[in-house]
Amino acid sequence: MTQKELIDIGKSFFQRQSWNPFPFQLETWKAFLKGKNGLLHAPTGSGKTFALWIPIVLNYIRKNKNYKEKAPPGLKAIWITPLRALSIEIKQAAEKMILDLELPLTVGIRSGDTSASERAKQKTKMPDLLITTPESLQLLLATKGYEKIFKNCEAIVIDEWHELLGTKRGVQMELALSRLKTIVPKLQVWGISATIGNLAQAQEVLFGVNQNPAETVLVSANISKKIRVESILPEKMETYPYRGHMGLHLLDQVAEIIRGSKTTLVFTNVRSACELWFQNLLEKYPEFAGEMAMHHGSISRETRHWVENAIRNEELKVVVCTSSLDLGVDFAPVESIVQVGSPKGVARFLQRAGRSGHQPGKESRVYFLATYAMELIEASALRKAVKLGLVEDRVPYLNSYDVLIQYLNTLAVSDGFYPDEIFKEVKSTFCFQYITKEDWQWILNFLVYGSQSLQAYDEFKKVELDEDGLMIIRSRRTAMHHRMQIGTIVGDASMIVKFLSGGYIGSIEESFASRLQPGDTFIFAGKKLQLFAIKNMQVLVQKAPAGSKSKVVSWSGGRMSFSAQMSELLRQEIHLANQPEELSVELKALEVVFKRQRKESIIPNADEFLIETFKTREGYHAVFYPFEGRFVHEAMASVLAYRMSLLSPITFSLAFNDYGFELLSDQEFSIEDLLDNNLLSTSYIHADLQQSLNATEMARRKFRDIAVIAGLVFTGMPGKAVKTKHLQSGTQLLFEVFKDYEPDNLLLQQAYRETFEHQLEEGRLLLALERIAKQTIVVKECLKPTPFSFPIITDRLREKLSSESLAERIKKMTASYLK
């Protein structure tokens, strides 16, 4: 069958659905049928799934003359998805096509949600088309005789590649692909990506450093996705904007959007905000009951699936959610998106906007709800980014030795591996292209002996070295522990929440549960619950009595930071505040804030760096405005405080947000000393970061995650997880051993490297300081806090005060400043 005849089969399928293929879909079909590998870049909701399912099936038709009869046994294609929730959508798309074309192919899902009975069936007979996750693919590689599973596989598709790139799950995929390409030399590899800036690098990471560029293609969809961005503006703007009220003062306007749309998704950045918004909407608008639901990662799988199906079936008017609904799930009825608070990045905003109008040619409608006035600057910046098509780069990992060790243990658990063969494969990946023979030998010694300083302890000796050089794990206990720990997402230990009667609700973090006493009430999964007891890592609850005051469940890791792209856009918008003729709707709405800021201080121009000083009853304040994001500001504030303390003994309190940072001391200090001594220099920045932030302590915490991934510690059996404090103490002991006796340990070095590169963003800090060095530094001596400094001050106060006393304090402060 010719390529034209095959393409016509695909077109006929589209015509029967009343569709017309886009040029990028046809281009993808043709490239795939020519045997090319590729990366498909297209906006959300443009038909990316059928762009690759169709050619996979057409290729099957070409290779099997009697393609409508019984299919040859064995796995033919793998579709990798980073989120289990997407699996059902992808399966339905494949089944729709197979049914229409009357093909005998089977489609299966293998993920953490797959039942034990279904996995057992797959062990004896794999489906023709398998949809799975990066972790489940690793588990297949940990299966005895895994090469037989993959030997007939002809294609692998990695969906949402932009979400995997720059994560350790992405490194998992790089390593898995290096193995699969050896098992199946003619395996076709395709990635699918939506919002990403560095496409060329994304392609290189996907295919590895040894891939012949002539064998790969980049297909970009020239589809202009219509996205309408509107800001929800308050009737009255705060002269002194502050944080902390979650945007709930705009509840009525959100309700109007909900009433005017078929279905609305209200996105919050964190699960606690999701719970708060759900409760407040329900309490103020009881008419939404029965048509409103909540969706986040800690709610039970059954509830999440019910919500997703209810959206598809147009049974829900509004869903309050988090990033759990960010990716790829096709909800045609969704007409409007409400983004509560700053998304902190352009890509995340575009991803969420794409949940509405999730069909080719449809307009996406997204409303930005600023939780406090200054976030309207971000709304203005985001609209500009959408118009210009600006998206962040995703920075890939290099030398993630913890993931490599886990991967090698995976191969050793199955059939074992020969080091020389696997070294060539590993070195072909982007992540490990610079690995040396010496580092490789260290890793092999680690697998066999548990590193130089742990050789005396048998529990760290996992891999055996056979006489012929095969490295293999023979211990059933070690193999079981490893299979249970595959995966690289490490977080706070979670505890199951169950009703006393036995109903499963979801999971909360141990750190929150440990603060509860029997009888305490809390809000979770949209329910008011009362703690009965905590037993065997389970939180047993009952319905809370009516009228009881309840805490909202909180989760760690909720404070995100601006991306570099977002920081640049924000600075541009702030500089425009001095050009009235170029103000956007949002900046015009902020004119009352800008007017007050000019009265108390200035709004810096592009060539200016602003430092404000003032005195209050708390002490002497200096506020700096790099507009670089809270992670960079945390590092910069710590370095400056450390450097100033070297000039004369002084103690500072630090506060920071995405706009700037504050140094506060009870004794007077001179900003002129800071400038005269060039304390904003990039010189010795690495050493000063180490001293100022206690980098050893930060690396110690980072090492916990690395140790878990590398298998140095075991996190526990299902339902009997090791408590976080025990896990932390165990990994801290190992950290100290390596620090004192084995400083060249690669995992120890990785902990420090990741602390500086990923947590402190040292690279961005250097660039920020270089930019500041070219600007004119303007020091404004103010009589009182300014509108720009007010959110930073309230961020610091929130750490000390309850929400009630904070609101009262802010009210008094605002009243005094307005006098």
Side-chain angles (χ1 to χ4, degrees):
M1 198 176 287
T2 66
Q3 187 184 94
K4 183 181 182 303
E5 290 171 326
L6 290 167
I7 296 291
D8 286 341
I9 292 174
K11 287 181 177 178
S12 298
F13 164 69
F14 266 50
Q15 287 167 3
R16 288 189 289 276
Q17 318 306 317
S18 300
W19 302 337
N20 286 313
F22 285 114
F24 84 86
Q25 291 173 319
L26 291 170
E27 187 182 348
T28 304
W29 298 357
K30 290 173 184 175
F32 188 98
L33 292 171
K34 286 179 182 176
K36 298 281 188 181
N37 301 310
L39 177 64
L40 169 59
H41 178 242
T44 298
S46 59
K48 299 189 295 293
T49 305
F50 283 115
L52 277 161
W53 266 145
I54 290 283
I56 286 171
V57 168
L58 294 180
N59 201 39
Y60 164 78
I61 291 172
R62 178 168 62 182
K63 292 188 175 183
N64 295 275
K65 290 183 179 179
N66 302 317
Y67 60 84
K68 289 197 176 183
E69 297 177 9
K70 188 178 180 181
L75 184 62
K76 295 164 185 61
I78 303 169
W79 193 289
I80 302 292
T81 171
L83 280 186
R84 289 176 282 186
L86 307 183
S87 303
I88 298 169
E89 293 286 340
I90 298 163
K91 184 173 185 280
Q92 289 173 343
E95 288 175 336
K96 183 175 189 174
M97 177 184 55
I98 287 166
L99 188 65
D100 180 272
L101 296 175
E102 300 177 350
L103 300 176
L105 299 174
T106 57
V107 187
I109 295 174
R110 189 182 183 96
S111 69
D113 292 345
T114 305
S115 65
S117 59
E118 180 64 23
R119 284 199 297 270
K121 283 182 194 174
Q122 291 176 357
K123 196 170 183 179
T124 55
K125 186 183 179 183
M126 290 295 286
D128 298 300
L129 309 176
L130 179 69
I131 299 151
T132 188
T133 61
E135 292 80 13
S136 292
L137 180 63
Q138 292 287 321
L139 279 166
L140 284 173
L141 290 172
T143 306
K144 298 285 184 186
Y146 68 88
E147 291 193 18
K148 293 178 184 176
I149 296 173
F150 298 108
K151 68 176 183 178
N152 295 319
C153 186
E154 296 173 349
I156 183 167
V157 176
I158 298 91
D159 206 348
E160 308 286 357
W161 178 235
H162 57 280
E163 283 297 318
L164 291 171
L165 187 68
T167 70
K168 290 189 178 182
R169 298 176 82 203
V171 178
Q172 271 188 332
M173 276 312 309
E174 289 183 63
L175 290 167
L177 286 172
S178 73
R179 184 88 278 262
L180 292 176
K181 285 190 285 189
T182 299
I183 299 169
V184 188
K186 293 186 178 180
L187 180 75
Q188 285 186 258
V189 179
W190 277 79
I192 300 177
S193 177
T195 45
I196 194 169
N198 51 332
L199 274 171
Q201 190 174 53
Q203 206 174 347
E204 186 183 2
V205 177
L206 179 64
F207 301 126
V209 293
N210 294 340
Q211 181 73 46
N212 183 354
E215 295 175 357
T216 66
V217 294
L218 174 63
V219 179
S220 287
N222 294 317
I223 296 176
S224 180
K225 178 70 174 172
K226 296 176 184 175
I227 301 176
R228 194 171 90 198
V229 182
E230 292 185 32
S231 292
I232 303 173
L233 299 174
E235 292 179 9
K236 185 181 178 183
M237 191 64 63
E238 306 151 317
T239 309
Y240 279 90
Y242 68 93
R243 286 184 174 276
H245 42 56
M246 309 299 292
L248 293 168
H249 59 300
L250 297 171
L251 205 65
D252 293 341
Q253 286 157 271
V254 173
E256 284 303 308
I257 294 167
I258 293 168
R259 290 193 186 102
S261 304
K262 187 183 291 182
T263 303
T264 300
L265 299 184
V266 179
F267 275 102
T268 64
N269 289 332
V270 292
R271 286 167 281 188
S272 52
C274 181
E275 297 275 355
L276 272 171
W277 265 87
F278 181 85
Q279 284 298 320
N280 279 272
L281 273 171
L282 195 58
E283 286 173 8
K284 191 161 186 181
Y285 300 97
E287 64 267 28
F288 291 154
E291 293 185 298
M292 183 167 73
M294 181 166 43
H295 192 290
H296 62 67
S298 292
I299 294 173
S300 68
R301 181 181 69 219
E302 292 75 19
T303 302
R304 293 198 310 272
H305 286 179
W306 177 85
V307 172
E308 290 159 18
N309 288 325
I311 299 173
R312 292 187 194 99
N313 299 332
E314 302 184 31
E315 296 169 6
L316 291 173
K317 189 77 175 163
V318 55
V319 177
V320 186
C321 55
T322 62
S323 56
S324 58
L325 285 184
D326 266 9
L327 298 179
V329 187
D330 182 8
F331 297 134
V334 175
E335 288 186 345
S336 299
I337 301 296
V338 176
Q339 169 64 45
V340 177
S342 169
K344 306 296 185 184
V346 180
R348 187 180 291 109
F349 186 68
L350 289 172
Q351 196 74 47
R352 291 177 176 180
R355 297 304 102 219
S356 73
H358 194 83
Q359 289 174 308
K362 289 286 183 74
E363 181 184 67
S364 293
R365 191 164 60 192
V366 57
Y367 297 89
F368 186 102
L369 188 153
T371 59
Y372 77 119
M374 293 292 282
E375 282 185 338
L376 285 172
I377 303 173
E378 297 171 47
S380 182
L382 285 166
R383 183 191 283 109
K384 188 172 290 183
V386 169
K387 184 179 178 181
L388 298 175
L390 302 174
V391 186
E392 293 93 350
D393 293 349
R394 303 291 175 102
V395 182
Y397 271 83
L398 286 172
N399 294 331
S400 290
Y401 295 122
D402 52 346
V403 182
L404 177 57
I405 287 167
Q406 186 188 82
Y407 168 71
L408 294 176
N409 277 321
T410 294
L411 298 183
V413 157
S414 52
D415 301 324
F417 67 91
Y418 290 99
D420 289 346
E421 178 187 356
I422 297 301
F423 178 68
K424 291 175 187 174
E425 295 175 9
V426 167
K427 199 165 175 58
S428 72
T429 66
F430 184 92
C431 183
F432 298 103
Q433 59 185 299
Y434 302 116
I435 190 171
T436 64
K437 277 279 189 183
E438 291 73 24
D439 289 345
W440 178 249
Q441 192 57 52
W442 185 95
I443 287 167
L444 296 179
N445 289 340
F446 179 88
L447 294 172
V448 176
Y449 303 112
S451 87
Q452 178 185 337
S453 53
L454 299 176
Q455 290 187 42
Y457 304 94
D458 290 340
E459 64 186 283
F460 298 106
K461 299 175 183 177
K462 297 181 178 180
V463 177
E464 297 177 28
L465 182 63
D466 282 0
E467 290 180 2
D468 64 348
L470 181 74
M471 300 192 78
I472 192 165
I473 290 176
R474 301 194 188 279
S475 163
R476 290 184 63 186
R477 181 174 178 272
T478 301
M480 180 183 68
H481 282 187
H482 175 73
R483 288 191 176 100
M484 296 176 99
Q485 211 156 288
I486 283 178
T488 57
I489 297 177
V490 182
D492 199 357
S494 60
M495 303 180 78
I496 291 171
V497 182
K498 293 177 72 173
F499 280 118
L500 278 171
S501 56
Y504 174 66
I505 304 169
S507 59
I508 62 176
E509 288 182 355
E510 182 190 352
S511 55
F512 176 80
S514 64
R515 299 197 297 269
L516 297 174
Q517 298 293 330
D520 284 356
T521 61
F522 62 98
I523 295 170
F524 175 57
K527 301 175 177 67
K528 285 189 176 181
L529 307 170
Q530 185 177 53
L531 177 66
F532 178 77
I534 296 176
K535 199 173 183 181
N536 297 328
M537 293 298 283
Q538 292 186 346
V539 181
L540 303 176
V541 299
Q542 53 198 5
K543 284 189 176 180
S548 55
K549 287 191 73 173
S550 305
K551 303 175 184 177
V552 175
V553 175
S554 62
W555 283 266
S556 61
R559 293 202 162 189
M560 300 184 293
S561 179
F562 276 162
S563 65
Q565 180 79 65
M566 194 69 209
S567 297
E568 176 63 29
L569 288 166
L570 182 83
R571 286 194 295 274
Q572 291 174 11
E573 291 303 298
I574 287 171
H575 302 327
L576 286 175
N578 290 323
Q579 303 172 38
E581 67 280 0
E582 297 187 38
L583 295 185
S584 63
V585 173
E586 292 83 4
L587 295 184
K588 284 177 182 175
L590 281 169
E591 187 53 37
V592 64
V593 177
F594 293 150
K595 186 177 179 182
R596 190 80 193 191
Q597 175 67 21
R598 291 188 194 99
K599 181 181 178 182
E600 306 293 343
S601 176
I602 66 162
I603 297 173
N605 290 314
D607 59 349
E608 294 175 324
F609 179 70
L610 175 61
I611 303 173
E612 295 176 344
T613 63
F614 48 87
K615 183 180 182 299
T616 68
R617 64 181 183 180
E618 292 178 298
Y620 297 88
H621 306 252
V623 186
F624 301 72
Y625 297 99
F627 303 106
E628 277 287 356
R630 65 179 300 116
F631 292 165
V632 174
H633 294 161
E634 179 183 6
M636 195 181 293
S638 300
V639 167
L640 283 186
Y642 168 70
R643 288 175 172 179
M644 290 176 76
S645 70
L646 296 178
L647 296 178
S648 60
I650 190 170
T651 302
F652 290 103
S653 292
L654 309 181
F656 35 84
N657 66 8
D658 283 312
Y659 296 81
F661 61 89
E662 174 198 48
L663 301 182
L664 168 62
S665 179
D666 60 358
Q667 63 188 89
E668 192 171 2
F669 58 94
S670 170
I671 292 297
E672 295 305 322
D673 284 348
L674 181 150
L675 302 178
D676 291 344
N677 286 278
N678 199 21
L679 297 192
L680 284 166
S681 165
T682 57
S683 302
Y684 308 107
I685 194 71
H686 186 81
D688 288 348
L689 263 178
Q690 283 186 303
Q691 292 293 327
S692 64
L693 273 167
N694 193 355
T696 299
E697 182 56 39
M698 297 177 82
R700 186 182 282 112
R701 291 199 296 271
K702 179 69 70 177
F703 183 76
R704 190 202 85 177
D705 297 353
I706 290 170
V708 169
I709 294 167
L712 272 171
V713 291
F714 182 53
T715 53
M717 306 290 282
K720 294 182 179 178
V722 175
K723 287 188 176 182
T724 305
K725 61 183 179 182
H726 294 158
L727 195 63
Q728 190 69 37
S729 61
T731 55
Q732 281 186 8
L733 179 61
L734 290 170
F735 181 89
E736 294 301 328
V737 168
F738 294 154
K739 184 166 71 74
D740 293 340
Y741 300 103
E742 197 181 339
D744 60 346
N745 184 293
L746 291 185
L747 297 179
L748 179 74
Q749 292 177 3
Q750 183 184 341
Y752 281 102
R753 190 174 69 250
E754 288 187 7
T755 297
F756 285 102
E757 290 178 4
H758 299 280
Q759 189 169 343
L760 297 177
E761 298 196 72
E762 185 180 0
R764 277 184 66 188
L765 173 62
L766 281 165
L767 290 173
L769 290 173
E770 287 171 3
R771 174 175 56 80
I772 292 167
K774 298 173 186 174
Q775 295 175 309
T776 300
I777 295 178
V778 179
V779 181
K780 292 296 292 184
E781 294 183 15
C782 306
L783 297 175
K784 54 191 174 183
T786 65
F788 277 18
S789 68
F790 201 66
I792 302 173
I793 293 170
T794 52
D795 248 15
R796 171 169 47 77
L797 290 174
R798 191 189 299 108
E799 302 296 330
K800 303 175 183 178
L801 303 171
S802 68
S803 58
E804 291 84 4
S805 56
L806 176 62
E808 291 168 10
R809 178 77 178 275
I810 286 170
K811 194 174 180 180
K812 290 177 184 174
M813 288 166 65
T814 306
S816 67
Y817 296 160
L818 289 172
K819 286 178 183 177

